Amino acid sequence: MGTTVVGFRLGWDRKGRQATVVLTQAGVLHHSGGLLGMAPSPARPQAPAAPDPHPVPRQAAALRRVYAALLHQGYGRELIPPVCVRLDTDERPLHPRPWGEHAPRAHPELIAEFTGAAPAGPGTLDDALTAFYAAIGLTPRTRTAAPRPGPAGVPPAVRRALGALAEGRTLASRPGPGTGWSVTGAGVRLHAGPGGEALTHREVAELQAALTAWLRHRRGPGTGAGAR
């Protein structure tokens, strides 16, 4: 019989890691991760809450959150863009109470077939979910576009700065006697030089990347501690 799924694989080049997430038509969310170029290690799947009359839309919302969280962590390269695929692998039936000893087990064959069957080429999460809903006979919900990785969405300098902030590191201007700055997850601080020296073009570009990353890290202005 097979099953229809929607999913993606993202890579974090600096860490050499990959993450694959697949949502099935039964509403089961499968995760796997590992090193780039190596066989992924599947985690325990996330079953829909039971009883849930609308498991797929709720799990699709979870898929969106996972996608955004991975981008935030630094998984900025689409190894497999979001896509809807029909697989030959049969989905394992869910227990009426899919938790504890009855929780679904990892299904590496399903993830492996998805990665082998997914077509190459660009795609968005919205388009993939729309195709997924149509394939399983559901009406898609109207959503705003999900963030997209890659140079067109987030510049490399900003992605690097985002990764540093996510790891708790401090971004700072180059040492020198003039005007400087530092950016942490908690806020932004300027260090005025004795004569109020102007920043060079390169220093302005570095500061712009750091500030853009900080705003994304804090999920927009006005959240948490403000800039100082």
Side-chain angles (χ1 to χ4, degrees), residues 12-94:
W12 189 350
D13 290 334
R14 189 168 65 83
K15 293 286 188 179
R17 299 194 63 82
Q18 63 182 4
T20 307
V21 187
V22 177
L23 173 63
T24 70
Q25 65 186 67
V28 180
L29 204 55
H30 294 266
H31 305 254
S32 71
L35 297 176
L36 285 170
M38 303 293 289
S41 176
R44 172 171 288 187
Q46 177 184 338
D52 188 343
H54 306 290
V56 171
R58 294 183 191 278
Q59 292 292 77
L63 180 73
R64 290 179 181 276
R65 290 194 295 271
V66 171
Y67 184 81
L70 287 170
L71 292 183
H72 182 69
Q73 291 174 30
Y75 289 82
R77 184 158 66 94
E78 287 183 331
L79 302 174
I80 298 177
V83 65
C84 171
V85 181
R86 177 69 184 177
L87 304 181
D88 293 329
T89 299
D90 290 332
E91 188 171 1
R92 294 168 181 164
L94 277 177

Side-chain angles (χ1 to χ4, degrees), residues 148-170:
R148 296 203 65 193
V154 181
V158 176
R159 292 205 305 273
R160 290 192 296 269
L162 265 173
L165 292 177
E167 294 172 359
R169 291 188 278 131
T170 299

Side-chain angles (χ1 to χ4, degrees), residues 73-129:
Q73 291 174 30
Y75 289 82
R77 184 158 66 94
E78 287 183 331
L79 302 174
I80 298 177
V83 65
C84 171
V85 181
R86 177 69 184 177
L87 304 181
D88 293 329
T89 299
D90 290 332
E91 188 171 1
R92 294 168 181 164
L94 277 177
H95 192 275
R97 297 184 177 184
W99 58 78
E101 63 177 331
H102 302 302
R105 294 177 290 111
H107 200 163
E109 297 85 1
L110 184 144
I111 295 177
E113 187 179 349
F114 167 76
T115 58
T124 69
L125 188 54
D126 277 333
D127 288 344
L129 284 172

